[in-house]
Amino acid sequence: MPQQCGYIALLGRPNAGKSTLLNALVGDKLAVVSKKPQTTRNRILGIAQHEDAQLLFLDTPGLHRNKGQSVINTMMNRVALQVAGEADLLVYLVDIIVGFTAEDARFLSRVLTTTKAPVVIIASKADAIIKAERAASLAGISLALEAFLAEAGNEAFTARLLQPDPVPLSGKRPEDVAELREFMAHHLPEGPWLFADDDLTDMPRYFICAELIREQIFRQLSQEIPYGTAVKVTAVEFKGDLVVVRATAVVSRASHKPILLGKGGARIKSIGTAARASLENHFDKKVFLELQVAVAEGWTDDQRLIADLANLSEEDLRGTANIQSEQEPLH
Ligand SMILES: Nc1nc2c(ncn2[C@@H]2O[C@H](COP(=O)(O)OP(=O)(O)OP(=O)(O)O)[C@@H](O)[C@H]2O)c(=O)[nH]1
Ligand SMILES: [Mg+2]
């Protein structure tokens, strides 16, 4: 059998379950997960294999309305559209509990008009709904999808659906995930593998460490603080059995610093403890984590600081294929 290899974009609104699915598809924790929407800010590659196929899954930031939001929100939407534009296959996740919303229609239309790849619609979190409601929810998503496809200008999209109906799936059920892996493998183009067979990702070590720390900030702080916080890792040093990680959590407003620190430093200490456990799990070694807090006033609206602190640069986005009117906000 000839080798197959291709990129598969995981797309959808914030909180749809993309990062959970990426981790499950790869069998390792590469992407961070939280209950809050807009957790993921970058393209995250996760590599999986099925027989002769190498599947290059790309997690993306959730597509969201960004009118009046920060520059970083525009950048996050652009990353998602860029990834979609370069992928061989598209997976669009719709939360089975939330259903197919008007925003899904808007975002899916944008994705499909700016790309050419075939698409599968997934009804995600299928385990989170009781059996009695499952069929009705799925039927609701099917109906909304049908209405979307019947709209003027959208008819051509029907031919790009690899499955006529939304496919129910739980990122927490290994058998569902294996089925998706196999299904996608059958639709990948022929081509040589682009990575070694034991590679899981191309994400730099510093990036993964920063994400694991950022995840705890998302989990332990409420409201706007996590959205204005970046984590910059300045050192990852292997010293015998110990890994030393030095990092700074950077907030966008001076008033956020005492909140992140907490009373007597209790909050940052608790974030550090949880992040260290997560890093130890990642490295399978003892970790010493030095975590500081700094302020970069207004960094979420400053292109240069966004590039430096959140790894989202204009440079990376320039020259991207198949994206029309990329300056336009998603609204
Ligand atoms: N029960 C259940 N919960 C899920 C499933 N997938 C994701 N979740 C939960 O849904 C929430 C969001 O999951 P994420 O994987 O972070 O969602 P996302 O689409 O990556 O979100 P953004 O990065 O914000 O765009 C988390 O609390 C997950 O634990 C699933 O299959 N079943
Ligand atoms: Mg995510």
Side-chain angles (χ1 to χ4, degrees), residues 14 95 124 160 174 192 242 263:
D95 186 325
S124 64
R160 286 168 60 187
L242 185 73
K263 229 181 181 175

Side-chain angles (χ1 to χ4, degrees), residues 18-19 32 39-40 59-60:
K18 302 175 292 297
S19 299
V32 301
T39 301
T40 306
D59 187 14
T60 62

Side-chain angles (χ1 to χ4, degrees), residues 105 108-110 112-114 146-160:
L108 186 58
S109 166
R110 178 72 176 266
L112 292 176
T113 46
T114 53
E146 258 172 52
F148 165 78
L149 294 167
E151 265 173 43
N154 290 352
E155 307 92 339
F157 298 151
T158 309
R160 286 168 60 187

Side-chain angles (χ1 to χ4, degrees), residues 11-23 31-41 59-63 76 93 95 97 124-129 169-173 218-219 227:
L11 304 159
R13 294 177 56 223
N15 212 43
K18 302 175 292 297
S19 299
T20 302
L21 181 57
L22 179 91
N23 292 338
V32 301
V33 168
S34 91
K35 287 193 180 122
K36 291 191 183 67
Q38 297 174 32
T39 301
T40 306
R41 290 177 180 158
D59 187 14
T60 62
L63 291 158
M76 285 159 64
L93 280 77
D95 186 325
I97 296 162
S124 64
K125 310 189 189 177
D127 64 292
I129 194 159
L169 175 141
S170 164
K172 301 196 174 186
R173 274 201 301 249
F218 259 77
R219 289 184 177 184
Y227 297 107

Side-chain angles (χ1 to χ4, degrees), residues 76-192:
M76 285 159 64
N77 278 326
R78 287 179 59 189
V79 168
L81 291 173
Q82 177 197 13
V83 167
E86 293 173 349
D88 299 289
L89 298 170
L90 309 173
V91 175
Y92 191 94
L93 280 77
V94 176
D95 186 325
I96 199 165
I97 296 162
V98 179
F100 188 90
T101 65
E103 297 215 330
D104 280 308
R106 202 176 295 126
F107 300 150
L108 186 58
S109 166
R110 178 72 176 266
V111 165
L112 292 176
T113 46
T114 53
T115 63
K116 294 195 172 69
V119 60
V120 184
I121 312 288
I122 297 285
S124 64
K125 310 189 189 177
D127 64 292
I129 194 159
I130 56 166
K131 240 187 177 160
E133 288 171 11
R134 202 177 112 121
S137 282
L138 263 180
I141 296 174
S142 283
L143 269 180
L145 184 65
E146 258 172 52
F148 165 78
L149 294 167
E151 265 173 43
N154 290 352
E155 307 92 339
F157 298 151
T158 309
R160 286 168 60 187
L161 290 180
L162 289 172
Q163 289 279 355
D165 289 310
V167 180
L169 175 141
S170 164
K172 301 196 174 186
R173 274 201 301 249
E175 60 274 25
D176 287 14
V177 175
E179 225 172 276
L180 179 68
R181 216 187 283 118
E182 184 175 346
F183 180 80
M184 299 318 284
H186 287 140
H187 291 90
L188 275 191
E190 280 185 15

